[in-house]
Amino acid sequence: MAESSTTAGKRKCSQDPQVDEKLVPKQGPSFCSTRYGIAFIVHICNLIAVAQCVVMNITMVAMVNSTDHQLQFNGSAKGLPGDSFGGLNNAPDSLPAGAPMYDWSPQIQGIIFSSANSGMMLTLALSGYLAGRVGTKRVVGVSLFASSLLSILTPLAAELGLVCLIATRIVQSLIQGSTFGGQYALWEKWGPPHERSRLCSIGLSGMMLGTFFIILLGGIICQTLGWPFAFYILGGIGCVYCLLWFVLVYDDPVSHPWINITEKDYIISSLAHQIQVSPCKQPLPITAMLRSLPIWSMCVCGFGHQWLTVTQIVYTPTYISSVFNVNMRDNGFLSALPFIIAWIFGILGGQMADFLLTKNFRLITVRKTATFLGNFPSSVLLVVLPYLTPSYITTMTILTLSCGLCAICQSGIYINALDIAPRHSSFLMGATRGFAYIAAILAPTVNGFLLNQDPEFGWRNVFLLLFAINLLGLIFYLIFGEAVVQDWAKERKLTHL
């Protein structure tokens, strides 16, 4: 106990946790280890969950019979060459005859898009708190299974009417919020402090890979089988994967039956300063959290970044469809390309962050650098896009760079709660992400309104608004962001011991 007290005292005086090398066992990261296997399993879980959420963004082009008429960029837009990807650019004629189509205006489409995110903000924080109590395995596994069932039922809901479809998407978003929010509790017990950036980035990057696959394959499925099969296939895959999730995932290294003893001791000793007292015994300091500027900086900056991300994910297929007269298959290929680059950048961003920490960069410097690189260049590129000649090479280059750089933010604000309050990080990461998801509700609705009101200059207005919101959030975080464990999050003295 005397040694633990001395160690805790040294820890308290440290500004950057990663420099306390005496607390870190002499073992480097191994990508064949159990903790990286857990990160890969979370990666696939996020891939499936995001694909179920995003599938509507690509199927919308096939579901609506008036998208091109409502959202023309301008009179000078040119289509791709007919043989650019081996087919003619005649989307409506090439879609399966049996797939139903609906007459939804851009404003109604925006409401449908936002309904897919409206429930997440309500369950992200709650699921993070619940996962810290009953375990990530149960919370995420049950949520993914329920979301998969609703994905299978979505085509039926669309046939029953617009209200039924929106209600189904809202309920699914409530469930998916538990999938995304519940997973953060894993890294409290599985992530050594100097490896958290890469472990979290591996898990979170599954979101970008899921976006890539569903937009790429969704266009092919819509054109060959019909858009309802995109929902059927994703729902079926999710149900099957839930079985693997319950078999392979464990909430902590202690309960894992196959983990190497050396790795178990390594993880436990790395986190010893955080898990000396069970988090279940410590109530949430809600009042202190509400007064914390570092937390609000994560919320505000996350809001701006989420506005950027949602606009990219939701409107990339629609933007390409409005600028270029391409069929569903080509639209899927072009729309998916930026997200495979984002997947690569997201993983590399985590590696870069942890590498900088090994070179004695201050933790807050690393977090703010990753946040800046994931926000500012991406939004600037989108602002420039409408003012350029709509060449498909120029357009795709800018969209790809913007989307790729955006993913670097995964090693910034999205895991910053692990730095300032490791004991309450699962709740805080869910809460800050939930606040950010307000943008996921507002952005599609506002963007749909802007595009509906001004078909000619609508895209310019969308990107300018995006830039303003993103810049304000970034400035707020750069001023008030912190990476030091806050006083209200530190271990309480247990006098009864």
Side-chain angles (χ1 to χ4, degrees), residues 7-21 23 193 273-274 294 357 360-368 416 418-422 481-487 490:
T7 302
K10 292 180 180 179
R11 185 72 184 184
K12 185 176 181 181
C13 298
S14 174
Q15 292 296 317
D16 294 323
Q18 80 279 6
V19 300
D20 296 331
E21 296 179 356
L23 296 178
H273 63 286
Q274 296 179 6
L357 293 180
N360 295 324
F361 279 77
R362 297 184 68 239
L363 185 56
I364 187 59
T365 302
V366 174
R367 295 289 181 248
K368 289 185 177 181
N416 201 178
L418 283 166
D419 306 320
I420 68 171
E482 294 286 350
V484 179
V485 178
Q486 303 296 291
D487 292 337
K490 291 180 180 179

Side-chain angles (χ1 to χ4, degrees), residues 2-47:
E3 291 179 357
S4 298
S5 299
T6 303
T7 302
K10 292 180 180 179
R11 185 72 184 184
K12 185 176 181 181
C13 298
S14 174
Q15 292 296 317
D16 294 323
Q18 80 279 6
V19 300
D20 296 331
E21 296 179 356
K22 293 182 179 180
L23 296 178
V24 181
K26 301 299 182 181
Q27 176 179 337
S30 173
F31 293 100
C32 296
S33 61
T34 304
R35 62 188 182 279
Y36 281 91
I38 294 291
F40 178 75
I41 295 172
V42 175
H43 180 92
I44 301 300
C45 174
N46 284 331
L47 186 155

Side-chain angles (χ1 to χ4, degrees), residues 343-359:
W343 174 70
I344 296 173
F345 273 58
I347 295 178
L348 292 179
Q351 300 290 327
M352 177 195 71
D354 283 340
F355 173 78
L356 292 177
L357 293 180
T358 62
K359 298 302 179 181

Side-chain angles (χ1 to χ4, degrees), residues 381-394:
L381 287 171
L382 289 181
V383 169
V384 173
L385 183 58
Y387 296 94
L388 301 177
T389 303
S391 163
Y392 77 93
I393 295 178
T394 302

Side-chain angles (χ1 to χ4, degrees), residues 51 53-64 67 95 100-102 104 113 154 169 214-215 217-219 221-222 226-231 234 317 328:
C53 181
V54 173
V55 62
M56 183 69 75
N57 304 340
I58 187 65
T59 58
M60 183 65 72
V61 181
M63 296 172 70
V64 177
T67 303
L95 294 176
M101 301 183 73
Y102 307 96
W104 295 332
F113 289 145
T154 298
R169 297 290 284 176
I214 191 55
I215 292 181
L217 300 179
I221 294 173
C222 289
W227 64 263
F229 281 90
F231 294 94
L234 282 177
M328 284 295 303

Side-chain angles (χ1 to χ4, degrees), residues 406-417:
C406 184
I408 299 178
C409 206
Q410 293 173 0
S411 302
I413 53 171
Y414 290 123
I415 61 174
N416 201 178

